[in-house]
């Protein structure tokens, strides 16, 4: 793509997208650290994750401010408009991902107080790794401007649902077997749900990247696995 | 500017000829099934040896605003002038191909260009009121076409000025000179003059480029109101204006029609990389 005639406009757009990519990196690190904290029962790391969340909030506000200013002062059109709005929407999704990672970290602090439940922790780790890979892939698709990669993340959304549903059943079994595990299991259930929702945000970002690059919305129905059906 | 270019000479309009030219508009596939008012096919225009337009084919919807955009020298104004045969007045200019209004070729030898220009009004970049009073500016077209008797003229002048959103500002000084008005008022006066003869199509060649933002907003509001009754084609260098006032946009580049489509789609997701480069400010 050729550059804008007005160089400062080009710079502003590039800065906006670079900041969004940087925010993506930070969100990814938050999710990775939250996962590590819950798997390794690391309270210090959990506290670090909780403390770092404010940076994501600040970055989102900054990206939103820059995007609004760009719309007001430059009136971006066509792909520039899609990039500007895309950056704003992606920042919103990343901010939510940060909140979910922070929530996982907060629950980790409580979960650590109970006895370890190794098989469950392994399942959480598998779910977390899968979600993390999806998040990394979709953020790479954003920075590399690769629509195929975004589509591939989008079309594999059901994998996370399947992991989550099996974890859900496993947790129920535990809780029914030993009521003393209920507190920890309930928190783990929320942790699992939070990872599943981070996966949903990755899917949202894939849709945004697709629109940004092609100008078309993804209209096909994604393969869905129903969590409620699985729980029966 | 020669008045004949912008307006009509003294011929009265034979109503049977006018009736014959008006046919129900055909629906166009390119317009998503909306009725088409102007259909251009294989339009090639030459200024002497130099070719200004290449094989332009475009459907223009009835009761809609179509914006023609593109860099200077791209042919958008040339195309606009083909619609009411304004190019006839330029020495060495040849227009080939068909431009139909309601299915009738505007270049038909039997069609009087003066009559055509009564059906297809035009508004220019610089407001060009006649050196006459405000009232006479609007009444002029009615008189030369014999469209209204003396008692009707006053009513039509008032109605036209009202439709052009100028009445409240000039009703107490109708006999002041048209050139005593501000630029924005003059432009609305010219629009009132164009709509007084009840045209079907209004062509606008950068009608706001000499106006301030408030006067521009008034004209844009007027365009939006007029589109319910007229087919409007506007040439503009302001992408933002094209986006604001038009329902369809056509992008010209180097004499060719690159892309035409719904305005919202053209400005969010143009198909052609040249359109994209132009509207996003990347053209060298």
């Amino acid at each position: 793509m050729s550059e804008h005639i007005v160089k400062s406009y080009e710079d502003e757009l590039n800065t906006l997208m670079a900041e969004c990519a940087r925010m993506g990196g930070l969100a990814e690190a938050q999710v990775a650290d939250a996962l590590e904290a819950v798997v390794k029962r690391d309270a210090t790391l959990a506290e670090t994750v909780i403390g770092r969340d404010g940076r994501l909030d600040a970055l989102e506000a900054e990206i939103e401010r820059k995007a609004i200013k760009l719309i007001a002062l430059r009136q971006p059109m066509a792909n520039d408009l899609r990039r500007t709005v895309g950056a704003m929407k992606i920042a919103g999704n990343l901010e939510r991902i940060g909140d979910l990672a922070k929530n996982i970290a907060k629950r980790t602090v409580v979960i650590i107080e109970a006895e370890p439940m190794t098989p469950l922790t392994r399942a959480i780790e598998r779910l977390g790794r899968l979600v993390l890979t999806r998040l990394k892939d979709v953020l790479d698709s954003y920075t590399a401007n690769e629509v195929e990669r975004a589509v591939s993340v989008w079309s594999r959304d059901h994998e996370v649902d399947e992991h989550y549903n099996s974890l859900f059943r496993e947790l129920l079994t535990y809780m029914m077997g030993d009521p003393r595990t209920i507190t920890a299991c309930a928190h783990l259930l929320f942790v699992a749900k939070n990872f599943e929702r981070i996966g949903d945000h990755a899917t949202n970002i894939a849709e945004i990247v697709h629109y940004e690059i092609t100008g078309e919305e993804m209209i096909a129905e994604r393969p869905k696995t129903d969590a409620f059906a699985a729980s029966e | 500017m020669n008045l004949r270019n912008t307006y009509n000479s003294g011929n009265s309009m034979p109503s049977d000829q006018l009736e014959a030219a008006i046919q129900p508009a055909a629906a166009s596939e390119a317009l998503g099934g909306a009725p088409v008012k102007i259909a251009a096919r294989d339009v090639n225009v030459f200024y002497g040896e130099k070719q200004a337009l290449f094989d332009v084919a475009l459907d223009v919807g009835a009761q809609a605003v179509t914006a023609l955009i593109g860099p200077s020298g791209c042919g958008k104004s040339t195309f606009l002038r083909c619609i009411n045969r304004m190019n006839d007045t330029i020495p060495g200019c040849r227009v080939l191909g068909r431009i139909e209004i309601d299915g009738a070729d505007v270049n038909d030898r039997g069609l009087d260009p003066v009559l055509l220009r009564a059906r297809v009004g035009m508004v220019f970049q610089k407001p060009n009121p006649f050196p006459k009073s405000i009232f006479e500016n609007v009444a002029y077209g009615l008189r030369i076409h014999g469209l209204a008797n003396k008692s009707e003229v006053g009513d039509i002048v008032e109605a036209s000025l009202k439709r052009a959103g100028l009445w409240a500002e000039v009703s107490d000084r109708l006999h002041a000179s048209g050139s005593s008005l501000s630029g924005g008022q003059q432009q609305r006066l010219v629009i009132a003059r164009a709509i007084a003869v009840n045209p079907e199509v209004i062509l606008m060649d950068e009608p706001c480029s000499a106006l301030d933002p408030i006067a521009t907003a008034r004209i844009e509001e007027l365009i939006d109101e007029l589109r319910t009754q007229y087919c409007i084609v506007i040439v503009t260098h302001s992408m933002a204006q094209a986006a604001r006032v038009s329902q369809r946009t056509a992008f010209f580049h180097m004499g060719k029609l690159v892309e035409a489509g719904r305005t919202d789609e053209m400005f969010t997701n143009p198909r052609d990389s040249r359109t994209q480069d132009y509207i996003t400010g990347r053209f060298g």
Side-chain angles (χ1 to χ4, degrees):
Chain A
M1 194 185 305
S2 55
E3 294 200 341
H4 286 91
I5 298 164
V6 180
K7 202 161 178 323
S8 56
Y9 179 19
E10 182 82 18
D11 292 345
E12 280 173 30
L13 258 175
N14 288 340
T15 307
L16 186 69
M17 297 190 70
E19 281 200 7
C20 206
R22 194 156 68 90
M23 187 179 173
L26 185 58
E28 201 183 314
Q30 286 288 82
V31 176
D33 286 349
L35 176 63
E36 193 174 331
V38 75
V39 170
K40 296 196 174 154
R41 303 168 65 82
D42 186 340
T44 319
L45 187 56
E47 292 297 344
T48 311
V49 171
I50 295 166
R52 261 193 325 222
D53 182 56
R55 280 168 62 191
L56 277 178
D57 295 349
L59 264 173
E60 190 214 3
E62 179 66 15
I63 288 168
E64 192 175 296
R65 195 183 61 77
K66 282 197 168 132
I68 288 173
K69 190 175 155 201
L70 196 87
I71 291 169
L73 302 185
R74 305 286 189 187
Q75 290 99 42
M77 295 279 196
N79 58 343
D80 296 339
L81 179 64
R82 301 201 303 266
R83 281 158 77 184
T84 308
V85 174
M88 218 156 106
K89 290 178 76 175
I90 288 174
N93 275 280
L94 292 172
E95 191 272 335
R96 287 298 301 143
I97 288 174
D99 286 348
L100 294 166
K102 179 177 152 188
N103 188 270
I104 292 170
K106 278 182 172 175
R107 292 182 189 279
T108 299
V109 179
V110 182
I111 292 166
I112 291 169
E113 289 169 6
E115 287 298 306
M117 292 174 287
T118 314
L120 281 176
T121 311
R122 291 287 154 264
I124 288 277
E125 188 176 9
R126 282 195 299 275
L127 174 64
R129 292 250 168 273
L130 180 64
V131 166
L132 203 55
T133 310
R134 290 171 55 75
L135 182 59
K136 187 179 176 309
D137 278 353
V138 78
L139 290 171
D140 286 350
S141 82
Y142 177 65
T143 44
N145 225 28
E146 286 176 2
V147 70
E148 298 82 11
R149 216 148 150 187
V151 172
S152 116
V153 171
W154 183 82
S155 56
R156 282 185 288 109
D157 183 61
H158 62 283
E159 294 174 2
V160 172
D161 292 339
E162 282 158 18
H163 269 76
Y164 172 72
N165 291 339
S166 99
L167 192 59
F168 182 90
R169 283 192 297 270
E170 218 172 324
L171 279 163
L172 283 186
T173 317
Y174 257 83
M175 288 191 270
M176 284 188 287
D178 182 358
R180 286 171 303 171
T181 64
I182 285 178
T183 305
C185 280
H187 281 296
L188 273 177
L189 182 57
F190 274 110
V191 167
K193 186 68 193 166
N194 284 346
F195 277 121
E196 190 259 344
R197 284 165 68 186
I198 291 170
D200 284 347
H201 284 291
T203 310
N204 287 351
I205 295 173
E207 288 174 359
I208 298 164
V209 170
H210 183 272
Y211 176 69
E212 186 177 308
I213 297 172
T214 66
E216 309 281 346
E217 279 164 36
M218 286 182 165
I219 40 170
E221 273 289 307
R222 257 185 293 127
K224 267 273 170 203
T225 314
D226 193 341
F228 295 104
S231 66
E232 281 165 9
Chain B
M1 186 166 286
N2 185 344
L3 291 186
R4 277 189 68 104
N5 287 4
T6 57
Y7 225 71
N8 316 303
S9 62
N11 295 16
S12 65
M13 189 176 328
S15 59
D16 55 332
Q17 196 180 338
L18 189 63
E19 288 298 324
I22 301 173
Q23 291 170 357
S28 160
E29 205 173 306
L31 302 182
V36 57
K37 184 75 186 172
I38 305 167
R41 293 292 179 271
D42 306 319
V43 175
N44 286 277
V45 177
F46 298 82
Y47 293 116
E49 291 298 301
K50 190 184 177 320
Q51 189 164 1
L53 281 182
F54 298 82
D55 301 322
V56 171
L58 179 67
D59 283 348
V60 176
Q63 295 181 337
V65 181
T66 302
L68 310 182
I69 61 169
S72 294
C74 69
K76 56 191 188 298
S77 291
T78 298
F79 179 75
L80 190 77
R81 286 199 304 267
C82 288
I83 299 171
N84 67 347
R85 286 177 63 176
M86 290 283 292
N87 288 324
D88 288 12
T89 62
I90 299 172
C93 180
R94 283 186 298 137
V95 179
L96 307 175
R98 275 181 80 80
I99 294 178
E100 295 177 351
I101 297 181
D102 292 332
D105 192 349
V106 299
N107 290 311
D108 193 318
R109 282 177 193 281
L111 184 66
D112 180 355
V114 171
L115 183 63
L116 172 69
R117 287 175 205 142
R119 292 171 58 201
V120 184
M122 193 153 190
V123 176
F124 294 83
Q125 182 172 3
K126 279 171 94 176
N128 55 348
F130 302 146
K132 290 169 177 286
S133 72
I134 294 167
F135 184 93
E136 283 304 318
N137 260 282
V138 184
Y140 185 83
L142 296 169
R143 296 220 169 99
I144 59 167
H145 288 301
L147 283 179
N149 61 40
K150 244 192 172 112
S151 60
E152 288 169 338
V153 168
D155 292 343
I156 296 177
V157 167
E158 182 177 337
S160 302
L161 285 168
K162 277 182 175 159
R163 246 148 97 200
L166 192 59
W167 179 251
E169 291 158 61
V170 301
S171 59
D172 58 346
R173 50 176 175 140
L174 289 176
H175 298 286
S177 163
S179 52
S180 69
L181 299 173
S182 73
Q185 288 173 326
Q186 286 186 21
Q187 201 63 306
R188 278 178 284 150
L189 176 64
V190 172
I191 293 172
R193 186 178 69 193
I195 60 184
V197 294
N198 204 19
E200 299 158 44
V201 179
I202 302 175
L203 309 177
M204 299 186 170
D205 197 352
E206 295 185 52
C208 300
S209 59
L211 304 183
D212 72 23
I214 303 294
T216 299
R218 291 223 170 86
I219 300 286
E220 288 178 0
E221 162 63 16
L222 177 57
I223 291 171
D224 205 43
E225 258 168 44
L226 294 178
R227 83 174 159 91
T228 57
Q229 282 161 295
Y230 307 99
C231 162
I232 297 175
V233 186
I234 179 171
V235 163
T236 176
H237 270 138
S238 160
M239 238 79 70
Q241 179 169 64
R244 286 192 301 263
V245 303
S246 72
Q247 287 76 53
R248 291 181 60 79
T249 298
F251 171 63
F252 286 77
H253 183 231
M254 296 176 78
K256 290 180 177 138
L257 174 67
V258 172
E259 185 175 355
R262 268 174 45 193
T263 296
D264 56 344
E265 283 176 0
M266 288 282 282
F267 285 101
T268 55
N269 191 18
R271 300 283 146 199
D272 195 286
S273 62
R274 287 168 292 178
T275 317
Q276 173 121 306
D277 283 352
Y278 180 68
I279 64 173
T280 58
R282 285 186 172 86
F283 247 45

